[in-house]
Amino acid sequence: QGQVRDLSVLLVPFAGGRLLYSRDVTQLQRVETMRRDFIANVSHELRTPLTVILGFLDPLAHDQDLPVESRARFLAMIQDQAQRMSRLVEDLLTLSRLEAKSDPQREEPVDVPALLATLLDEGRALSGGRHRFEEDIAPHGLMGCPLELRSAFGNLISNAVRYTPEGGRIKVRWARENEGALFEVSDTGIGIPAEHIPRLTERFYRVDKGRSTETGGTGLGLSIVKHVLLHHQARLDVESTPGQGSRFRVLFPAGRMVASVR
Ligand code: ADP
């Protein structure tokens, strides 16, 4: 009885009269495990800043003799952690919107050089003068969703800044390549050991949790990038040498290229 009920539930995603093979059950079990892991991860990611917030609120609310300096420091900590939670919720919403669709949410010719000028300004602001920036930007545009592309390119640029120590170099390139269009960010940062590269776009996958959190990471940036690129039929290539730097290359198909948007 229980088994029959289970099967009818399992059949829902495979509706259309198809038989349920054991392979499908394995697949469904995998999806279920991923879902459970995801909920556990989100809960954990939210609990950590919440614990800090609650911990600092307590003395603020109850300790009449708390020195003014401590008060200011505790409030700054609370603000910091609340911002972290807010970033996480924003990224989760972005990701769930992207995952719900298989196409770009709105397509139009995107002025990529203008978009990159804005994103480079944001990257320089994040760097605070600690890195040298280089750019090599061709004039063509791209057919796609401006908001999605902003989010994907922005994540790759901010990662380069966040994982490159002071004094490093960050280079952004937009070019034609093999009939298609290429967006490339290279840095002289900490790099990524080869065994981690295939898993980078998994939700909450981080090579070094400490460094990710310290620099404001949510662990969702590259998952967002992955979905945007899927929507645009683009491919991501990552090359990296630990201690020397990384290069993230995004290759768009020829059909998406727009000669000039201006
Ligand atoms: P996060 O918010 O942790 O940066 P991402 O999904 O953007 O999450 O990236 C996943 C992980 O990939 C990061 O935690 C980091 O370990 C690694 N990573 C991403 N970009 C770079 C880079 N340019 N250099 C070195 N490591 C990187």
Side-chain angles (χ1 to χ4, degrees), residues 9-237:
V9 173
L10 289 172
L11 269 169
V12 172
F14 296 94
R18 202 146 77 76
L19 272 179
L20 186 75
Y21 295 108
S22 62
R23 197 155 28 95
D24 297 331
V25 176
T26 317
Q27 171 67 12
L28 285 171
Q29 277 165 348
R30 204 162 36 228
V31 169
E32 177 57 21
T33 307
M34 276 172 58
R35 195 188 63 86
R36 222 177 292 137
D37 285 353
F38 179 63
I39 292 174
N41 276 326
V42 171
S43 313
H44 177 78
E45 298 287 335
L46 286 170
R47 191 176 55 186
T48 313
L50 256 185
T51 306
V52 179
I53 290 173
L54 292 172
F56 284 111
L57 270 179
D58 195 54
L60 280 169
H62 300 113
D63 185 353
Q64 311 286 333
D65 306 322
L66 194 68
V68 184
E69 311 82 70
S70 308
R71 190 170 288 271
R73 201 161 48 82
F74 290 3
L75 281 171
M77 300 274 214
I78 288 173
Q79 188 172 34
D80 209 48
Q81 296 299 319
Q83 273 160 356
R84 180 174 157 193
M85 291 177 71
S86 160
R87 270 196 308 274
L88 179 65
V89 172
E90 278 308 314
D91 276 359
L92 282 169
L93 285 172
T94 302
L95 194 57
S96 81
R97 272 196 298 265
L98 287 169
E99 283 181 341
K101 304 234 166 70
S102 57
D103 302 317
Q105 299 190 357
R106 191 164 57 98
E107 277 210 67
E108 59 186 74
V110 179
D111 183 347
V112 176
L115 173 63
L116 292 180
T118 309
L119 293 174
L120 276 158
D121 282 344
E122 289 177 13
R124 286 191 191 94
L126 180 65
S127 153
R130 285 174 293 127
H131 307 91
R132 190 157 51 82
F133 281 79
E134 281 173 25
E135 51 193 276
D136 178 5
I137 316 268
H140 59 271
L142 190 75
M143 198 62 193
C145 171
L147 287 177
E148 291 188 16
L149 293 171
R150 181 181 218 292
S151 164
F153 295 170
N155 267 304
L156 292 173
I157 294 174
S158 71
N159 278 354
V161 174
R162 292 170 44 240
Y163 296 104
T164 300
E166 185 159 359
R169 178 187 58 76
I170 288 146
K171 181 166 181 191
V172 173
R173 198 156 82 89
W174 173 242
R176 288 171 186 260
E177 178 147 314
N178 300 334
E179 310 287 302
L182 171 77
F183 172 73
E184 181 183 287
V185 184
S186 41
D187 64 55
T188 56
I190 59 175
I192 305 157
E195 69 270 24
H196 293 282
I197 290 181
R199 301 194 58 190
L200 292 181
T201 60
E202 287 176 25
R203 297 178 291 199
F204 296 117
Y205 191 84
R206 292 146 159 144
V207 177
D208 174 353
K209 173 100 200 264
R211 182 159 185 122
S212 163
T213 322
E214 249 170 60
T215 57
T218 60
L220 297 174
L222 291 180
S223 317
I224 291 175
V225 170
K226 178 178 89 174
H227 284 281
V228 172
L229 301 192
L230 270 176
H231 286 184
H232 293 80
Q233 300 82 38
R235 209 182 68 209
L236 176 69
D237 282 333

